[in-house]
Every structure is written in C-alpha cells, then in structure tokens.
Amino acid sequence: MKFYPLQFEPILKERIWGGEKLKTVLHKPITSKITGESWELSTVDGDVSVVANGEWKGKLLTTLINECPKEILGTVVHARFGKQFPLLFKYLDAREDLSIQVHPNDELAKKRHNSFGKTEMWYIMQADDNARIIVGFKEKSDANNYLENLKNKTLLSILDDVKVKSGDVFFLEAGTVHAIGAGLVVAEIQQTSDITYRLYDFDRVDDSGNTRELHVDLALEAINYNTIETKKEYTKNENVSNEVVDCPYFTTNFLPLNGEITVSKSGKTFTVYMCLEGAFEIDFDNSKSEYKKGDTVLIPAAMNTLILNGKASILEIYIS
C-alpha cells in the first residue's frame, strides 16, 4: 500500500458550555452556536474518525489499523497496544466554564470501565482577557475536606485558579481535578478515553431545565488530593522539535517552522501534527499536501522521510 499524510473529518460535539470559535478561529464546519469540541483523531467507540483525503477517503481509522497495524501505528506502538490507537486529539471552545471534573488512572479505568485512563495536556491557542483554568488543590486536601466543600458549594475556594494566555501548556495526570475556564480555545491531547467524573457543574441547567449528572462517589477514589505542578515551560527554537511533555503515554514537541526542514522517522511510531498558527506543507514521495491553522494530520509510521515547508507553529506528537 502507498502511505500518505492522513486527515480526518472532524467529529463535532455540541456542549452546554460551547460556542462558535471553532468556526471563527479554527474554520471548522460548525452550524451550532454551542459547539464545544472538534474531535480530530479518535477511535472511541461510536466516534471513530473517517479519512477525509486521498485514496483512503471514507475509510475508518480502525479499518486502516486492522489492515496495516505496524505501518500505521509503528512497531513499538503495535507491540505495546496491539491494534488500538492509544490517543485522542481534540480542539475545544469554552464559551462558558466547563464542569469541574476528574479522570481515573489506567488501573481504576480498567477495573471499572475496561478502558484506558485519561492523562492529558492542554495547549492554549486563544485566551480572552482574564481567562483562567482550574487545576488541582491550593493545599493538600483529602476526601472529607473535598466532600464538605462540595456540600457547602465552596469547592472553588480550595481549588487552584490559574490565569492563562496563548501559548501556555498544562499537563494533567489522571486524578487531577480540573476545569477549562470560559474564553479559551484549547488543543487537547489525551489517552483514548471518554471517561469523565463530573464533580460540580455550577448548578447549570439545559434548555429543558435539566442538570447534568454528577459522579461524586465515583470520583472519590480517582482524585489526587496532593498539590500538583501542571504548567510546562518550554523553549521555542526555530525549525527544531522543542520538548514540551514527555510522559509514558505521549511525547509532545513544539515546532516553530520557518522555511524547510527534513524529518526522518524510524518506523517505531506514528506522528501527529496539529497546526496552531500559520500554514505549512508536507512533501512526501513527490507529492505535496497543505495545512493551515486548526488542521490535524496523522503521519503513518511507514512514512520514513518527509519535508516540512512553511511558516507555522506546530505541535508534534508521538509515542516514545
């Protein structure tokens, strides 16, 4: 088979907290005024990405992986995960605060849901003035203190509130209590999991007057009650991969592209590029493909050498 850079149809999700920036900022084909998420690359049950370009247009990502697991995933990824695609890539638009939530780790998620856990990272693409996120506890806490503040509607008083700006990165290990705040567009990289325990939703109701389900008891065992450093500092040297996050689940680099570079791959892992700003093209096997802000592209592991050319800020993600 002839491999090439793969793009996928965005899977658009309406959310009570969503808005229209996925269209106005990232040019996604949304029609709703409350679109909160664009799933760019997913194999979550019921939300499997469909190829949008080239010879394999219309095929499911899971079908390609089943047919060519080592060529798509890479030898190391295939040995570790079989034919599972281990990551989920999203863009999010928070017109309002997201719920305060937590995700279980691998052990708990396997036991309860037969799922991966959910460690994730956020890259802040756009931030309104005074936008902020909630990440972890201000001081070491425990289940009783958490439950008491939840009951008294004072949970926010014990959680850490951090102002953010474009370019900030946060790494959230499973167990970190968190919420994306209003006025943010975020690129999110996470384990393939849709398991979320919602702790508090600001007493919001939908158009029918219904509140969303909370998962207070499930969350008790999942929460890390320690204080956690989540913000990641990183360099921004041009035309090289600047490491931002390196964890057991993924490695993410920041690549400020200015001109042309050659990228060599080992065949051990797939690579994903998320275009944060600007535009660039990929030249592979005498064929060129173009990408702009908001695009996400999967480079199959079988593509050994490619040329990137343009002026863009790019996230480069793979599994070590």
Side-chain angles (χ1 to χ4, degrees):
M1 298 179 73
K2 182 178 179 181
F3 297 93
Y4 61 94
L6 297 169
Q7 281 189 278
F8 297 86
E9 300 290 348
I11 301 170
L12 303 172
K13 301 281 188 177
E14 287 191 344
R15 299 290 188 244
I16 195 172
W17 41 262
E20 297 181 90
K21 285 183 181 176
L22 292 180
K23 177 171 66 177
T24 59
V25 176
L26 299 185
H27 313 293
K28 300 298 175 182
I30 70 171
T31 56
S32 163
K33 293 185 177 181
I34 55 165
T35 303
E37 302 183 20
S38 176
W39 291 22
E40 298 288 295
L41 192 44
S42 166
T43 56
V44 172
D45 287 346
D47 287 301
V48 177
S49 292
V50 176
V51 178
N53 68 314
E55 179 183 345
W56 298 332
K57 183 176 181 178
K59 278 199 171 189
L60 295 173
L61 175 57
T62 47
T63 301
L64 295 182
I65 292 171
N66 282 328
E67 292 176 355
C68 309
K70 292 181 181 178
E71 292 85 352
I72 298 291
L73 297 174
T75 54
V76 168
V77 178
H78 179 251
R80 181 175 168 190
F81 295 102
K83 293 183 178 180
Q84 293 178 290
F85 191 76
L87 298 178
L88 172 60
F89 298 82
K90 303 178 181 177
Y91 295 114
L92 297 93
D93 167 23
R95 178 180 52 85
E96 297 180 0
D97 293 337
L98 275 66
S99 62
I100 297 173
Q101 56 192 245
V102 72
H103 307 300
N105 62 21
D106 283 347
E107 181 182 2
L108 194 57
K110 178 69 174 177
K111 180 172 71 174
R112 290 180 175 175
H113 312 285
N114 194 30
S115 169
F116 291 126
K118 188 173 173 183
T119 286
E120 61 189 316
M121 67 154 277
W122 300 336
Y123 179 95
I124 308 299
M125 295 184 69
Q126 185 270 326
D128 291 353
D129 291 342
N130 298 316
R132 59 41 164 155
I133 61 171
I134 292 168
V135 277
F137 292 91
K138 290 178 181 176
E139 300 177 354
K140 184 177 172 62
S141 187
D142 56 42
N144 290 332
N145 185 42
Y146 150 70
L147 287 172
E148 181 180 354
N149 280 277
L150 187 63
K151 178 182 176 181
N152 295 333
K153 298 188 184 298
T154 54
L155 182 60
L156 288 173
S157 70
I158 63 171
L159 297 178
D160 204 8
D161 188 293
V162 181
K163 284 190 176 182
V164 298
K165 64 184 184 305
S166 176
D168 285 349
V169 172
F170 296 86
F171 176 64
L172 293 84
E173 292 184 280
T176 305
V177 175
H178 63 273
I180 294 174
L184 294 175
V185 176
V186 177
E188 181 176 277
I189 299 145
Q190 58 162 94
Q191 291 176 269
T192 292
S193 168
D194 199 28
I195 308 299
T196 294
Y197 299 152
R198 192 178 295 119
L199 312 182
Y200 180 60
D201 199 30
F202 304 97
D203 302 316
R204 281 184 291 209
V205 296
D206 62 18
D207 290 341
S208 302
N210 301 313
T211 58
R212 294 196 293 174
E213 181 183 4
L214 300 180
H215 313 95
V216 175
D217 292 337
L218 285 173
L220 285 174
E221 192 179 348
I223 293 173
N224 181 353
Y225 295 97
N226 297 306
T227 58
I228 307 164
E229 181 56 54
T230 57
K231 188 172 183 181
K232 305 294 286 188
E233 302 296 337
Y234 59 99
T235 56
K236 300 180 181 180
N237 297 318
E238 279 191 353
N239 295 332
V240 295
S241 297
N242 300 270
E243 185 179 292
V244 183
V245 170
D246 183 27
C247 73
Y249 306 108
F250 54 84
T251 297
T252 300
N253 300 321
F254 181 75
L255 172 56
L257 181 66
N258 187 11
E260 181 177 295
I261 62 171
T262 299
V263 180
S264 297
K265 304 291 183 183
S266 64
K268 294 180 179 179
T269 175
F270 64 88
T271 301
V272 172
Y273 293 122
M274 302 180 83
C275 186
L276 307 170
E277 290 287 349
F280 71 102
E281 63 182 23
I282 295 176
D283 187 344
F284 174 76
D285 197 21
N286 297 316
S287 179
K288 293 184 179 181
S289 46
E290 298 180 350
Y291 307 95
K292 63 184 186 307
K293 180 177 180 177
D295 284 345
T296 302
V297 55
L298 170 64
I299 308 299
M303 292 176 57
N304 293 321
T305 303
L306 51 143
I307 296 171
L308 304 185
N309 188 22
K311 187 171 178 59
S313 296
I314 303 167
L315 289 183
E316 176 186 55
I317 306 101
Y318 53 85
I319 293 179
S320 299

